[in-house]
Amino acid sequence: MEWKLFADLAEVAGSRTVEVEVERDATVGDALDALVGSHPPLESRVFADDGGLYEHINVLRNGEPAPLDAAVEVGDELALFPPVSGG
């Protein structure tokens, strides 16, 4: 499963894309856990002290917002966005 990372999350991970392995019946949350497990510095950027996902972190599956309990399938595109601002 491939994650696409954006902005400072890509900098923290050292790459804009990261491959992770998950079980056949995995969820978006399982894939996110695999991502953070393979790149521990992401944990403090993605998860709050209580273990929940920060509200400002956007998780997408195939270009659409995805809850962490959504199932993932082979070929799905996962993406992780920090807050974006501009002017």
Side-chain angles (χ1 to χ4, degrees):
M1 181 95 11
E2 183 178 84
W3 279 97
K4 291 187 177 188
L5 306 176
F6 295 87
D8 66 324
L9 297 178
E11 292 175 28
V12 170
S15 179
R16 289 182 178 262
T17 60
V18 176
E19 286 285 332
V20 298
E21 290 194 28
V22 294
E23 298 294 323
R24 180 165 265 178
D25 61 346
T27 64
V28 171
D30 295 330
L32 183 56
D33 288 343
L35 172 65
V36 170
S38 67
H39 293 79
L42 286 172
E43 185 171 8
S44 65
R45 292 286 297 122
V46 175
F47 293 110
D49 291 338
D50 66 2
L53 187 68
Y54 279 120
E55 287 183 19
H56 61 266
I57 296 292
N58 297 298
V59 179
L60 304 178
R61 188 184 92 218
N62 301 324
E64 298 292 327
L68 296 181
D69 62 353
V72 292
E73 298 177 11
V74 174
D76 280 351
E77 179 182 281
L78 301 173
L80 200 59
F81 286 88
V84 177
S85 63

Coordinates of all heavy atoms in Angstrom, one line a residue:
M1 N 0.9 -1.2 0.0 CA 0.0 0.0 0.0 C 0.9 1.2 0.0 O 1.9 1.3 0.7 CB -0.9 -0.1 1.2 CG -1.8 1.0 1.4 SD -3.5 0.8 0.9 CE -3.7 -0.9 0.5
E2 N 0.6 2.2 -0.8 CA 1.4 3.4 -0.9 C 0.7 4.6 -0.3 O -0.5 4.9 -0.6 CB 1.8 3.7 -2.3 CG 2.7 4.9 -2.5 CD 3.1 5.2 -3.9 OE1 2.3 5.8 -4.6 OE2 4.1 4.7 -4.3
W3 N 1.4 5.3 0.5 CA 1.0 6.6 1.1 C 1.7 7.7 0.3 O 2.9 7.6 0.0 CB 1.4 6.7 2.6 CG 0.5 6.0 3.5 CD1 0.7 4.8 4.1 CD2 -0.7 6.5 4.1 NE1 -0.3 4.5 4.9 CE2 -1.2 5.6 4.9 CE3 -1.4 7.7 3.9 CZ2 -2.4 5.7 5.7 CZ3 -2.6 7.9 4.6 CH2 -3.0 6.9 5.5
K4 N 0.9 8.8 0.0 CA 1.5 10.0 -0.5 C 1.5 11.0 0.7 O 0.4 11.2 1.3 CB 0.7 10.5 -1.7 CG 0.9 9.6 -2.9 CD 0.2 10.2 -4.1 CE 0.5 9.3 -5.3 NZ 0.1 9.8 -6.5
L5 N 2.6 11.6 0.9 CA 2.7 12.6 2.0 C 3.0 13.9 1.5 O 3.7 14.1 0.5 CB 3.9 12.2 3.0 CG 3.8 10.7 3.5 CD1 5.1 10.4 4.3 CD2 2.6 10.5 4.3
F6 N 2.4 15.0 2.1 CA 2.5 16.3 1.6 C 3.1 17.2 2.7 O 3.0 17.0 3.9 CB 1.2 16.8 1.2 CG 0.6 16.0 0.0 CD1 -0.1 14.8 0.1 CD2 0.9 16.4 -1.3 CE1 -0.5 14.1 -0.9 CE2 0.5 15.7 -2.4 CZ -0.2 14.5 -2.2
A7 N 3.7 18.3 2.2 CA 4.3 19.4 3.0 C 5.3 18.9 4.0 O 6.1 18.0 3.6 CB 3.1 20.2 3.7
D8 N 5.2 19.3 5.2 CA 6.2 18.9 6.2 C 6.2 17.5 6.6 O 7.1 16.9 7.1 CB 6.2 19.8 7.4 CG 4.9 19.7 8.2 OD1 3.9 19.4 7.6 OD2 5.0 19.7 9.5
L9 N 5.0 16.8 6.3 CA 5.0 15.3 6.6 C 6.0 14.6 5.7 O 6.6 13.6 6.1 CB 3.6 14.8 6.4 CG 2.5 15.4 7.4 CD1 1.1 14.9 7.1 CD2 2.9 15.2 8.8
A10 N 6.1 15.0 4.5 CA 7.0 14.4 3.5 C 8.5 14.7 4.0 O 9.3 13.8 4.0 CB 6.8 14.9 2.1
E11 N 8.7 15.9 4.5 CA 10.0 16.2 5.0 C 10.4 15.3 6.2 O 11.5 14.8 6.3 CB 10.1 17.7 5.4 CG 10.0 18.6 4.2 CD 10.0 20.0 4.6 OE1 10.5 20.4 5.7 OE2 9.4 20.8 3.9
V12 N 9.4 15.2 7.1 CA 9.7 14.4 8.3 C 9.9 12.9 8.0 O 10.8 12.3 8.5 CB 8.5 14.5 9.3 CG1 8.6 13.5 10.4 CG2 8.4 15.9 9.9
A13 N 9.2 12.4 7.0 CA 9.3 11.0 6.6 C 10.6 10.8 5.7 O 11.0 9.7 5.5 CB 8.1 10.5 5.9
G14 N 11.0 11.9 5.1 CA 12.2 11.8 4.2 C 11.8 11.4 2.8 O 12.7 11.1 2.0
S15 N 10.5 11.4 2.5 CA 10.0 11.0 1.1 C 8.6 11.4 0.9 O 7.8 11.5 1.9 CB 10.1 9.5 1.0 OG 9.7 9.0 -0.3
R16 N 8.2 11.7 -0.3 CA 6.8 12.0 -0.6 C 5.9 10.8 -0.7 O 4.7 10.9 -0.7 CB 6.8 12.8 -1.9 CG 7.3 14.2 -1.8 CD 7.2 14.9 -3.1 NE 7.7 16.3 -3.0 CZ 6.9 17.3 -2.7 NH1 5.6 17.2 -2.7 NH2 7.4 18.5 -2.6
T17 N 6.5 9.6 -0.9 CA 5.8 8.4 -1.0 C 6.4 7.3 -0.1 O 7.7 7.3 0.0 CB 5.7 7.8 -2.4 OG1 7.0 7.6 -2.9 CG2 5.0 8.8 -3.4
V18 N 5.6 6.6 0.6 CA 6.1 5.5 1.5 C 5.2 4.3 1.2 O 4.0 4.3 1.3 CB 6.0 5.9 2.9 CG1 6.3 4.8 3.9 CG2 6.8 7.2 3.2
E19 N 5.9 3.2 1.0 CA 5.2 1.9 0.9 C 5.1 1.2 2.2 O 6.0 1.2 3.0 CB 6.0 0.9 0.0 CG 5.9 1.3 -1.5 CD 4.6 0.9 -2.1 OE1 4.0 -0.1 -1.7 OE2 4.2 1.6 -3.1
V20 N 3.9 0.7 2.5 CA 3.7 -0.1 3.8 C 3.0 -1.4 3.4 O 2.3 -1.5 2.4 CB 2.8 0.7 4.8 CG1 3.6 2.0 5.3 CG2 1.5 1.0 4.3
E21 N 3.2 -2.4 4.3 CA 2.5 -3.6 4.1 C 1.4 -3.7 5.2 O 1.6 -3.5 6.4 CB 3.5 -4.8 4.2 CG 4.4 -4.8 3.1 CD 5.2 -6.1 3.0 OE1 4.6 -7.2 3.5 OE2 6.3 -6.1 2.4
V22 N 0.2 -4.1 4.7 CA -0.9 -4.3 5.6 C -1.6 -5.7 5.3 O -1.4 -6.2 4.2 CB -1.9 -3.2 5.6 CG1 -1.3 -1.9 6.1 CG2 -2.5 -3.0 4.2
E23 N -2.4 -6.2 6.2 CA -3.1 -7.4 6.0 C -4.2 -7.2 5.0 O -4.6 -6.1 4.7 CB -3.7 -7.9 7.3 CG -2.7 -8.2 8.4 CD -1.9 -9.4 8.1 OE1 -2.4 -10.4 7.5 OE2 -0.7 -9.4 8.4
R24 N -4.7 -8.3 4.4 CA -5.7 -8.2 3.4 C -7.0 -7.5 3.8 O -7.7 -6.8 3.1 CB -6.1 -9.6 2.9 CG -7.1 -9.7 1.8 CD -7.1 -11.0 1.2 NE -6.3 -10.8 0.0 CZ -6.0 -11.8 -0.8 NH1 -6.5 -13.0 -0.6 NH2 -5.2 -11.6 -1.8
D25 N -7.4 -7.6 5.1 CA -8.6 -7.0 5.6 C -8.3 -5.7 6.4 O -9.1 -5.3 7.3 CB -9.4 -8.0 6.5 CG -8.6 -8.4 7.7 OD1 -7.3 -8.2 7.7 OD2 -9.2 -9.0 8.6
A26 N -7.3 -5.0 6.0 CA -6.8 -3.8 6.7 C -7.8 -2.6 6.5 O -8.5 -2.6 5.5 CB -5.4 -3.4 6.2
T27 N -7.7 -1.7 7.4 CA -8.4 -0.4 7.4 C -7.4 0.7 7.1 O -6.2 0.5 7.2 CB -9.1 -0.1 8.7 OG1 -8.1 0.0 9.7 CG2 -10.1 -1.3 9.1
V28 N -8.0 1.9 6.8 CA -7.1 3.1 6.7 C -6.3 3.3 8.0 O -5.1 3.6 7.9 CB -8.0 4.3 6.4 CG1 -7.1 5.6 6.4 CG2 -8.7 4.2 5.0
G29 N -6.9 3.1 9.1 CA -6.2 3.2 10.4 C -5.0 2.2 10.5 O -3.9 2.6 11.0
D30 N -5.2 1.0 10.0 CA -4.1 0.0 10.0 C -3.0 0.5 9.2 O -1.8 0.3 9.5 CB -4.6 -1.4 9.5 CG -5.7 -2.0 10.4 OD1 -5.6 -1.8 11.7 OD2 -6.5 -2.7 9.9
A31 N -3.3 1.0 8.0 CA -2.3 1.5 7.1 C -1.6 2.7 7.7 O -0.4 2.8 7.5 CB -2.9 1.8 5.7
L32 N -2.3 3.5 8.4 CA -1.7 4.7 9.0 C -0.8 4.2 10.1 O 0.3 4.7 10.3 CB -2.8 5.6 9.6 CG -2.3 6.9 10.2 CD1 -1.4 7.7 9.2 CD2 -3.4 7.8 10.7
D33 N -1.2 3.2 10.9 CA -0.3 2.7 12.0 C 1.0 2.1 11.3 O 2.1 2.3 11.9 CB -1.0 1.6 12.7 CG -2.1 2.2 13.7 OD1 -2.1 3.4 14.0 OD2 -3.0 1.4 14.1
A34 N 0.8 1.4 10.2 CA 2.0 0.9 9.5 C 2.9 2.0 9.1 O 4.2 1.9 9.1 CB 1.6 0.0 8.3
L35 N 2.4 3.1 8.6 CA 3.2 4.2 8.1 C 3.9 4.8 9.3 O 5.2 5.0 9.2 CB 2.3 5.3 7.5 CG 2.9 6.6 7.2 CD1 4.0 6.5 6.1 CD2 1.9 7.7 6.8
V36 N 3.3 5.1 10.4 CA 3.9 5.7 11.6 C 4.9 4.7 12.2 O 6.0 5.1 12.6 CB 2.8 6.1 12.6 CG1 3.5 6.5 13.9 CG2 2.0 7.3 12.0
G37 N 4.6 3.4 12.1 CA 5.5 2.4 12.6 C 6.8 2.4 11.8 O 7.9 2.1 12.4
S38 N 6.7 2.6 10.5 CA 7.9 2.6 9.7 C 8.7 4.0 9.7 O 9.8 4.0 9.3 CB 7.6 2.2 8.3 OG 6.8 3.2 7.6
H39 N 8.0 5.0 10.2 CA 8.6 6.3 10.2 C 8.1 7.0 11.5 O 7.3 7.9 11.6 CB 8.1 7.2 9.0 CG 8.7 6.7 7.7 ND1 8.2 5.6 7.1 CD2 9.7 7.1 7.0 CE1 8.9 5.4 6.0 NE2 9.8 6.3 5.9
P40 N 8.7 6.6 12.7 CA 8.3 7.0 14.0 C 8.2 8.5 14.2 O 7.3 9.0 14.9 CB 9.3 6.4 15.0 CG 9.7 5.1 14.2 CD 9.7 5.5 12.8
P41 N 9.1 9.3 13.6 CA 8.9 10.8 13.8 C 7.6 11.4 13.3 O 7.2 12.5 13.8 CB 10.1 11.4 12.9 CG 11.1 10.3 12.9 CD 10.3 9.0 12.8
L42 N 6.9 10.7 12.5 CA 5.5 11.1 12.1 C 4.5 11.1 13.2 O 3.5 11.8 13.2 CB 5.0 10.3 10.9 CG 5.6 10.5 9.5 CD1 5.1 9.5 8.5 CD2 5.4 11.9 9.1
E43 N 4.7 10.2 14.2 CA 3.7 10.0 15.2 C 3.3 11.3 15.9 O 2.1 11.6 16.0 CB 4.2 9.0 16.3 CG 3.2 8.7 17.3 CD 3.6 7.5 18.2 OE1 4.7 7.1 18.1 OE2 2.7 7.1 18.9
S44 N 4.3 12.1 16.3 CA 3.9 13.4 17.0 C 3.3 14.4 16.1 O 2.7 15.3 16.6 CB 5.2 13.9 17.7 OG 6.1 14.3 16.7
R45 N 3.4 14.3 14.8 CA 2.8 15.2 13.9 C 1.4 14.8 13.5 O 0.6 15.6 13.0 CB 3.7 15.3 12.6 CG 5.0 15.9 12.7 CD 4.9 17.4 12.9 NE 4.4 18.0 11.7 CZ 3.3 18.7 11.6 NH1 2.7 19.0 12.7 NH2 2.9 19.2 10.5
V46 N 1.1 13.5 13.7 CA -0.2 12.9 13.2 C -1.1 12.7 14.4 O -2.3 12.9 14.3 CB 0.1 11.7 12.4 CG1 -1.2 11.0 12.0 CG2 0.9 12.0 11.1
F47 N -0.6 12.1 15.5 CA -1.4 11.7 16.6 C -1.2 12.7 17.8 O -0.1 13.0 18.2 CB -1.1 10.3 17.0 CG -1.4 9.3 16.0 CD1 -0.5 8.6 15.3 CD2 -2.8 9.0 15.7 CE1 -0.8 7.6 14.4 CE2 -3.1 8.0 14.8 CZ -2.1 7.3 14.1
A48 N -2.4 13.0 18.5 CA -2.4 13.8 19.7 C -1.9 12.9 20.9 O -1.8 11.7 20.7 CB -3.8 14.3 20.0
D49 N -1.7 13.5 22.0 CA -1.2 12.8 23.2 C -2.2 11.7 23.6 O -1.7 10.7 24.2 CB -1.0 13.8 24.4 CG 0.2 14.7 24.1 OD1 1.1 14.4 23.3 OD2 0.2 15.8 24.8
D50 N -3.5 11.9 23.3 CA -4.4 10.9 23.7 C -4.5 9.7 22.7 O -5.3 8.8 22.9 CB -5.8 11.5 23.9 CG -6.4 12.0 22.6 OD1 -5.8 11.9 21.5 OD2 -7.5 12.6 22.6
G51 N -3.7 9.7 21.7 CA -3.6 8.7 20.7 C -4.5 8.8 19.5 O -4.5 8.1 18.5
G52 N -5.4 9.9 19.6 CA -6.3 10.1 18.5 C -5.6 11.0 17.4 O -4.7 11.7 17.6
L53 N -6.2 10.9 16.2 CA -5.7 11.7 15.1 C -5.9 13.1 15.3 O -7.0 13.5 15.7 CB -6.4 11.2 13.8 CG -5.9 11.7 12.5 CD1 -4.5 11.2 12.1 CD2 -6.9 11.3 11.4
Y54 N -4.9 14.0 15.1 CA -5.2 15.4 15.2 C -6.3 15.8 14.2 O -6.3 15.3 13.1 CB -3.9 16.2 14.9 CG -2.9 16.3 16.0 CD1 -1.6 15.8 15.8 CD2 -3.2 17.0 17.2 CE1 -0.7 16.0 16.8 CE2 -2.3 17.1 18.2 CZ -1.0 16.6 18.0 OH -0.1 16.7 18.9
E55 N -7.2 16.7 14.7 CA -8.3 17.2 13.8 C -7.8 17.8 12.6 O -8.5 17.8 11.5 CB -9.2 18.1 14.6 CG -10.0 17.5 15.7 CD -10.9 18.5 16.4 OE1 -11.2 19.6 15.8 OE2 -11.4 18.2 17.5
H56 N -6.6 18.5 12.6 CA -6.2 19.2 11.4 C -5.5 18.3 10.4 O -5.1 18.8 9.3 CB -5.3 20.4 11.8 CG -4.0 19.9 12.6 ND1 -4.0 19.9 13.9 CD2 -2.8 19.5 12.1 CE1 -2.8 19.4 14.3 NE2 -2.1 19.2 13.2
I57 N -5.3 17.0 10.7 CA -4.7 16.1 9.7 C -5.7 15.5 8.8 O -6.8 15.0 9.3 CB -3.9 15.0 10.4 CG1 -2.7 15.6 11.2 CG2 -3.4 13.9 9.5 CD1 -1.6 16.2 10.4
N58 N -5.5 15.6 7.5 CA -6.5 15.1 6.6 C -6.0 13.8 6.0 O -4.9 13.7 5.5 CB -6.7 16.1 5.4 CG -7.3 17.4 5.9 OD1 -8.4 17.4 6.5 ND2 -6.5 18.4 5.8
V59 N -6.8 12.7 6.1 CA -6.5 11.4 5.5 C -7.5 11.2 4.4 O -8.7 11.3 4.5 CB -6.7 10.3 6.6 CG1 -6.4 9.0 6.0 CG2 -5.9 10.6 7.8
L60 N -6.9 10.9 3.2 CA -7.7 10.6 2.0 C -7.4 9.2 1.5 O -6.3 8.7 1.6 CB -7.3 11.6 0.9 CG -7.4 13.1 1.2 CD1 -6.9 13.9 0.0 CD2 -8.8 13.5 1.6
R61 N -8.5 8.6 1.0 CA -8.4 7.4 0.2 C -9.0 7.6 -1.1 O -10.2 8.0 -1.2 CB -9.2 6.3 1.0 CG -8.9 4.9 0.3 CD -9.7 3.8 1.0 NE -11.0 3.7 0.2 CZ -12.2 3.5 0.6 NH1 -12.4 3.4 1.9 NH2 -13.2 3.5 -0.2
N62 N -8.2 7.4 -2.2 CA -8.6 7.7 -3.5 C -9.2 9.1 -3.7 O -10.2 9.3 -4.4 CB -9.7 6.6 -4.0 CG -9.1 5.2 -3.9 OD1 -7.9 5.0 -4.1 ND2 -9.9 4.2 -3.5
G63 N -8.6 10.1 -3.1 CA -8.9 11.5 -3.3 C -10.1 11.9 -2.4 O -10.5 13.1 -2.5
E64 N -10.7 11.1 -1.6 CA -11.8 11.4 -0.8 C -11.5 11.3 0.7 O -10.7 10.4 1.1 CB -13.0 10.5 -1.1 CG -13.5 10.6 -2.5 CD -14.2 12.0 -2.8 OE1 -14.8 12.5 -1.9 OE2 -14.0 12.4 -4.0
P65 N -12.0 12.2 1.6 CA -11.8 12.0 3.0 C -12.2 10.6 3.4 O -13.2 10.1 3.0 CB -12.7 13.0 3.6 CG -12.9 14.1 2.6 CD -12.9 13.3 1.3
A66 N -11.3 10.0 4.3 CA -11.6 8.6 4.7 C -11.5 8.5 6.2 O -10.5 8.9 6.8 CB -10.6 7.7 4.1
P67 N -12.5 7.9 6.8 CA -12.4 7.6 8.3 C -11.4 6.5 8.5 O -11.1 5.7 7.6 CB -13.8 7.1 8.6 CG -14.4 6.6 7.4 CD -13.8 7.4 6.2
L68 N -10.8 6.4 9.6 CA -9.8 5.4 9.9 C -10.3 4.0 9.9 O -9.6 3.1 9.7 CB -9.1 5.7 11.3 CG -8.4 7.0 11.3 CD1 -7.7 7.2 12.7 CD2 -7.3 7.1 10.2
D69 N -11.6 3.8 10.1 CA -12.2 2.4 10.0 C -12.6 2.0 8.6 O -13.1 0.9 8.5 CB -13.3 2.3 11.0 CG -14.5 3.2 10.7 OD1 -14.4 4.1 9.8 OD2 -15.6 3.0 11.4
A70 N -12.4 2.8 7.6 CA -12.7 2.4 6.2 C -11.7 1.4 5.8 O -10.5 1.4 6.0 CB -12.6 3.7 5.3
A71 N -12.3 0.4 5.0 CA -11.5 -0.7 4.5 C -10.6 -0.2 3.4 O -11.0 0.7 2.6 CB -12.4 -1.8 4.0
V72 N -9.4 -0.8 3.2 CA -8.6 -0.4 2.1 C -8.4 -1.7 1.2 O -8.6 -2.8 1.7 CB -7.2 0.1 2.5 CG1 -7.2 1.4 3.2 CG2 -6.5 -0.9 3.4
E73 N -8.2 -1.4 -0.1 CA -8.1 -2.5 -1.0 C -6.8 -2.3 -1.8 O -6.3 -1.2 -1.9 CB -9.3 -2.5 -2.0 CG -10.6 -2.8 -1.3 CD -11.8 -2.7 -2.2 OE1 -11.6 -2.7 -3.5 OE2 -12.9 -2.7 -1.7
V74 N -6.3 -3.4 -2.4 CA -5.1 -3.3 -3.2 C -5.4 -2.2 -4.3 O -6.4 -2.2 -4.9 CB -4.8 -4.6 -3.9 CG1 -3.7 -4.5 -4.9 CG2 -4.5 -5.6 -2.8
G75 N -4.4 -1.3 -4.5 CA -4.6 -0.3 -5.5 C -5.1 1.0 -5.0 O -5.1 2.0 -5.7
D76 N -5.6 1.0 -3.8 CA -6.1 2.3 -3.2 C -4.9 3.3 -3.1 O -3.8 2.9 -2.8 CB -6.7 2.1 -1.8 CG -8.2 1.6 -1.9 OD1 -8.7 1.6 -3.0 OD2 -8.7 1.3 -0.8
E77 N -5.2 4.5 -3.3 CA -4.2 5.6 -3.1 C -4.5 6.3 -1.8 O -5.6 6.8 -1.6 CB -4.3 6.6 -4.2 CG -3.3 7.7 -4.1 CD -3.4 8.7 -5.2 OE1 -2.8 8.4 -6.3 OE2 -4.0 9.7 -5.0
L78 N -3.6 6.3 -0.8 CA -3.8 6.9 0.5 C -2.9 8.2 0.5 O -1.8 8.2 0.0 CB -3.4 6.0 1.6 CG -4.1 4.7 1.6 CD1 -3.6 3.7 2.7 CD2 -5.6 4.9 1.9
A79 N -3.4 9.2 1.1 CA -2.7 10.5 1.2 C -2.9 11.1 2.6 O -4.0 10.9 3.2 CB -3.2 11.4 0.1
L80 N -1.9 11.8 3.0 CA -1.9 12.4 4.3 C -1.5 13.9 4.2 O -0.4 14.2 3.6 CB -0.9 11.7 5.3 CG -1.0 11.8 6.7 CD1 -2.4 11.3 7.2 CD2 0.1 11.0 7.4
F81 N -2.4 14.8 4.6 CA -2.1 16.2 4.4 C -2.1 16.9 5.8 O -3.1 16.7 6.6 CB -3.3 16.9 3.7 CG -3.3 16.6 2.2 CD1 -4.0 15.5 1.7 CD2 -2.7 17.5 1.3 CE1 -4.0 15.2 0.3 CE2 -2.7 17.2 -0.1 CZ -3.4 16.1 -0.5
P82 N -1.1 17.7 6.1 CA -1.2 18.6 7.2 C -2.1 19.8 6.9 O -2.5 19.9 5.8 CB 0.2 19.0 7.4 CG 0.8 19.0 6.1 CD 0.1 17.9 5.3
P83 N -2.3 20.7 7.8 CA -3.1 21.9 7.5 C -2.4 22.7 6.5 O -1.2 22.8 6.4 CB -3.2 22.6 8.8 CG -2.3 21.9 9.8 CD -1.9 20.7 9.2
V84 N -3.2 23.3 5.6 CA -2.6 24.1 4.5 C -3.1 25.5 4.6 O -4.3 25.7 4.8 CB -3.0 23.4 3.1 CG1 -2.4 24.3 2.0 CG2 -2.4 22.0 3.0
S85 N -2.2 26.4 4.5 CA -2.7 27.8 4.5 C -1.9 28.5 3.4 O -0.9 28.0 2.9 CB -2.4 28.5 5.8 OG -1.1 28.5 6.1
G86 N -2.5 29.6 2.9 CA -1.8 30.3 1.9 C -2.4 31.7 1.7 O -3.3 32.1 2.5
G87 N -1.9 32.4 0.8 CA -2.4 33.7 0.7 C -2.1 34.3 -0.7 O -1.7 33.7 -1.6

